[in-house]
Amino acid sequence: MIPFVDLRAAHAEVADDVLQGFDRVMRDAAFVGGPDVAAFEEEFAAFSGMPHCVGLGNGTDAVEFALRACGLPAGAGVVLPANTFVATAEAVLRAGLRPVLADCDDDFLLLDPESAASAAGPDVAAILPVHLYGQQAPMAAVHEIAARRGLAVVEDGAQSQGSAQEGRPPAELVATSFYPGKNLGAYGEAGAVLTSSPETARAVRLLSSHGSLERYRHETLGFNSRLDTLQAVVLRAKLRRLAAWNEARRAAADRYDKLLSGVEGVRLPRTAPGNLHVWHLYVIRVPERDRVLAGLHAAGVQAQIHYPVPVHLQPAFRRLGYGPGDFPVAEKAAGQILSLPMHPHLTEAQQERVAEVLREVLSGL
Ligand SMILES: Cc1ncc(COP(=O)(O)O)c(C=O)c1O
């Protein structure tokens, strides 16, 4: 069997640090907050080149709190891509705002600036690009739209820890997720907001902790969504390896490119010019995707689909009033995309086997 991700191999690399850290936390019996959370926030902010990081309970809360911290008018529109994990849209609704969807481009499957610009009507107050699969959305174009229309920019960086983009405007507000399978993954739920603004960092921290920074003094209504101390220990240990792990993902993506180039029917993923990709997912496009996926699974290759149904066609989002045909690029891609096993510990032999099985399955269609 070739697993989609290998969290056991990642754990083996960090086990000593993690277990020592757990021991420390348990000896101190300090399970919420404490020095490991503060240290992780500082270390992850430094890694990301952002002045402030606030650790949270998960990435969906991170998107929601980032939006809430912008202080947008209730019910205002937020432009986001139809091709994303539903949590991006869910967070917009939970923040009391209205998801306004845009299509993706056909080359990279990222937010299409033209579609985003035409979606940004008068009641739209923010734009929420998603750095899908490990590379950044076209941020110069996003900022250009935002400046023209006076929109706040919140980035969904759940899949892009360690990515970069040449010449992009500096990031102001980024939400991220440390769900276990992410490039930087916890041993449970965790997330964070990164920001350039101390006021925004303070607002997010208030939201995360019952509206309170000082015991029993509650400035605003908030939630309970803090980064667990044990997760901070795991994240600190893994953060030290993240640059090397992202490098290993890039090497694995290069190997797939070579193994699969010229395979009839396979469309390979591409990196947009200027992007440093961190390959959270390696997403190819194939004809008769569901049959191909079944063939891979039958041969023990654990491929997946990210995501089989675009946001606007999910039953939960019917209320937005979109229907089939509204976002043709996202809809077409949803029927073709296939995520191959991708993680830092993937071996050359495993990749050769994936390519071999894929070739066989495609030739038997
Ligand atoms: C693009 C995107 N946004 C948001 C999220 C939500 O993160 P979480 O699962 O930590 O709530 C995820 C991951 O699950 C994601 O992939």
Side-chain angles (χ1 to χ4, degrees):
M1 212 263 283
I2 300 182
F4 186 70
V5 292
D6 189 347
L7 300 180
R8 283 191 197 90
H11 175 64
E13 270 196 58
V14 295
D16 287 350
D17 293 356
V18 167
L19 295 176
Q20 273 173 27
F22 281 5
D23 203 40
R24 192 173 61 237
V25 173
M26 284 166 198
R27 261 199 331 258
D28 296 347
F31 300 113
V32 174
D36 279 291
V37 172
F40 171 70
E41 288 176 339
E42 247 173 60
E43 289 158 8
F44 189 61
F47 175 87
S48 309
M50 299 281 287
H52 307 279
C53 170
V54 182
L56 299 171
N58 60 75
T60 312
D61 288 354
V63 180
E64 178 187 340
F65 295 175
L67 287 165
R68 284 181 180 272
C70 293
L72 307 172
V78 178
V79 174
L80 73 146
N83 183 34
T84 182
F85 182 54
V86 289
T88 318
E90 204 175 34
V92 173
L93 280 170
R94 284 181 11 185
L97 302 164
R98 186 170 67 85
V100 175
L101 300 177
D103 212 344
C104 58
D105 70 276
D106 186 53
D107 288 327
F108 313 109
L109 304 177
L110 296 166
L111 179 67
D112 175 7
E114 251 178 62
S115 176
S118 56
D123 78 324
V124 163
I127 183 162
L128 175 50
V130 179
H131 303 326
L132 202 67
Y133 306 151
Q135 70 174 328
Q136 297 193 8
M139 292 309 295
V142 164
H143 276 266
E144 201 262 316
I145 297 165
R148 205 156 15 100
R149 309 283 170 91
L151 312 180
V153 179
V154 176
E155 303 177 36
D156 182 338
Q159 303 191 1
S160 63
Q161 294 120 2
S163 68
Q165 187 173 81
E166 264 172 36
R168 58 154 292 167
E172 288 161 9
L173 187 50
V174 184
T176 198
S177 161
F178 305 122
Y179 185 77
K182 296 291 193 266
N183 287 36
L184 181 60
Y187 289 179
E189 306 286 352
V193 164
L194 293 155
T195 174
S196 57
S197 149
E199 293 79 26
T200 303
R202 187 176 194 279
V204 170
R205 206 175 285 288
L206 278 172
L207 285 165
S208 77
S209 193
H210 305 293
S212 166
L213 298 177
E214 199 184 300
R215 195 166 241 203
Y216 303 132
R217 183 172 179 277
H218 301 272
E219 293 180 36
T220 59
L221 273 183
F223 301 84
N224 179 1
S225 180
R226 298 171 290 226
L227 175 63
D228 273 357
T229 312
L230 291 173
Q231 302 303 345
V233 166
V234 173
L235 293 169
R236 291 187 74 191
K238 286 192 163 183
L239 182 60
R240 288 196 277 278
R241 275 108 179 146
L242 183 56
W245 284 351
N246 282 343
E247 205 52 66
R249 286 174 182 271
R250 274 191 288 276
D254 283 348
R255 284 201 297 268
Y256 271 142
D257 285 351
K258 290 195 182 88
L259 287 164
L260 300 175
S261 73
V263 175
E264 175 116 5
V266 175
R267 187 163 166 197
L268 297 179
R270 287 180 51 206
T271 302
N275 264 353
L276 179 69
H277 207 313
V278 292
W279 297 103
H280 175 57
L281 297 168
Y282 187 90
V283 178
I284 62 171
R285 278 175 272 184
V286 291
E288 297 196 55
R289 190 269 322 280
D290 292 343
R291 279 180 69 192
V292 174
L293 183 65
L296 289 170
H297 284 177
V301 174
Q302 292 297 301
Q304 296 188 10
I305 305 170
H306 299 87
Y307 296 91
V309 181
V311 171
H312 66 293
L313 301 180
Q314 291 285 357
F317 293 91
R318 241 178 239 141
R319 65 173 96 174
L320 300 181
Y322 298 107
D326 282 344
F327 304 105
V329 182
E331 286 170 37
K332 184 168 175 218
Q336 301 176 330
I337 49 180
L338 185 63
S339 309
L340 298 181
M342 171 52 82
H343 56 84
H345 302 89
L346 194 62
T347 65
E348 246 175 277
Q350 287 176 316
Q351 291 190 274
E352 280 163 14
R353 176 71 187 143
V354 172
E356 181 187 30
V357 173
L358 188 60
R359 257 198 214 97
E360 276 169 22
V361 172
L362 282 164
S363 66
L365 284 181

